[in-house]
Amino acid sequence: MKTLIEQIDPNTIITLLTHHGAWLLRQQPTCNPADLTAMQKTFEHCSGTVLRQLEMALSSHWPEIPFSHAEFDPEQQIKPEHPAYWICDPIDGAVQFLSGLPLWTLTLCLVLDAKPVLAFVYDPVGNAMYHAQTGKGAFCNGRRMQVGQRDQLSLAVLGTSFPNYPQRPQAEIDEFLHLLAKVIPQVFAQRWMGPSSLSLAQLAEGKLDGYWETGRSLYDWLPGVLIAQEAGAFCTDLKGGVLDWNSDGILFASPAMYPLLSTILLT
């Protein structure tokens, strides 16, 4: 008898995500809506439509796997919700999407026994489909990916992010700025380019040498986590511990770069 993961055809999911990503791209505003109410209305229509349709489609193929609806409920994200379930973010990088900018994604991740085992990150603007399955590697548009080999901090190009809506507490802002100030003088470039899902996929491609982020955003991180790990990235939380449901912050890097970055970023 096939295991649950063996019953899932990644190509079926890739087709679905490509279709819905193209629809989102057609719906994307050319510039930011006039006020917060208009922004919320646009976001809720686009995100809600895709979430409902993907849930229906995936449930028709694999009815035994439920969908998470905890994207905006951090209290539900502190432990696995089911033995197996889907986590979907139809628009990861909502600010960019609403502003008519690139650098947003459609993400989907299967969590099985508290671990991400199948992940997809689709960049509709760049038409880049990233996906990974535990033990089978990470791919972009069918091309196998591998993290970069740079081993000098002075050449390192890093990604980070600091979602600040709703407004983050001042202590969290101070922590982020403290680490940012430590990193900037020692690396070639520190960039803040869209959501973690896309930056972690770019790390898997070798376009970035590392990625770090403060806070507790595991549901946002999980799709990119698996993709980066399957491409050979090394990862911990920002205390150097194993990345799990209680982790505070993340540090991802190529094996050559991780020891160098850990001397700066681990607290």
Side-chain angles (χ1 to χ4, degrees):
M1 180 181 294
K2 289 185 177 180
T3 64
L4 179 61
I5 190 69
E6 290 173 337
Q7 297 174 35
I8 298 173
D9 176 20
N11 290 324
T12 298
I13 298 175
I14 287 172
T15 299
L16 283 170
L17 296 182
T18 302
H19 170 76
H20 289 293
W23 182 84
L24 285 170
L25 188 58
R26 293 194 298 272
Q27 305 305 308
Q28 184 180 14
T30 56
C31 61
N32 212 328
D35 54 39
L36 185 59
T37 299
M39 290 171 65
Q40 290 176 331
K41 183 176 180 180
T42 300
F43 176 78
E44 289 169 2
H45 168 67
C46 293
S47 179
T49 297
V50 170
L51 187 65
R52 287 190 298 272
Q53 292 186 1
L54 277 175
E55 183 172 7
M56 289 175 58
L58 292 175
S59 295
S60 70
H61 287 286
W62 304 286
E64 68 275 28
I65 306 177
F67 250 63
S68 169
H69 293 278
E71 179 184 359
F72 301 111
D73 188 352
E75 294 301 317
Q76 281 191 256
Q77 298 180 20
I78 59 175
K79 62 181 181 180
E81 298 178 53
H82 308 280
Y85 63 108
W86 298 108
I87 295 172
C88 179
D89 190 344
I91 308 174
D92 191 15
V95 172
Q96 293 87 263
F97 177 84
L98 292 170
S99 300
L101 294 168
L103 304 176
W104 54 273
T105 62
L106 165 56
T107 72
L108 182 72
C109 182
L110 176 63
V111 176
L112 180 61
D113 297 329
K115 301 288 186 182
V117 296
L118 184 62
F120 303 84
V121 172
Y122 182 47
D123 169 13
V125 177
N127 191 30
M129 176 65 73
Y130 304 93
H131 85 279
Q133 184 174 331
T134 300
K136 294 192 175 182
F139 301 84
C140 177
N141 294 344
R143 173 181 54 84
R144 193 179 188 97
M145 297 188 294
Q146 188 68 31
V147 294
Q149 302 300 315
R150 286 179 182 156
D151 59 1
Q152 298 179 57
L153 274 177
S154 61
L155 296 177
V157 179
L158 308 184
T160 189
S161 183
F162 188 78
N164 60 331
Y165 180 80
Q167 183 64 47
R168 299 274 283 271
Q170 187 63 46
E172 294 183 14
I173 297 172
D174 292 343
E175 178 191 10
F176 174 75
L177 293 176
H178 172 68
L179 292 177
L180 190 64
K182 291 174 66 176
V183 167
I184 286 175
Q186 300 197 52
V187 301
F188 185 69
Q190 171 68 73
R191 293 292 181 261
W192 184 344
M193 303 185 297
S196 59
S197 59
L198 185 56
S199 289
L200 288 169
Q202 291 167 336
L203 169 63
E205 284 187 285
K207 293 179 177 179
L208 296 177
D209 300 296
Y211 181 86
W212 62 276
E213 187 177 337
T214 59
R216 297 175 179 269
S217 301
L218 189 63
Y219 272 35
D220 287 337
W221 298 334
L222 281 177
V225 163
L226 182 62
I227 290 169
Q229 286 178 324
E230 284 295 316
F234 193 76
C235 70
T236 64
D237 62 21
L238 282 179
K239 296 185 183 299
V242 174
L243 187 62
D244 61 21
W245 294 83
N246 297 309
S247 290
D248 189 355
I250 55 172
L251 173 58
F252 276 73
S254 64
M257 195 63 70
Y258 180 89
L260 306 176
L261 292 175
S262 66
T263 64
I264 306 172
L265 284 163
L266 296 189
T267 58

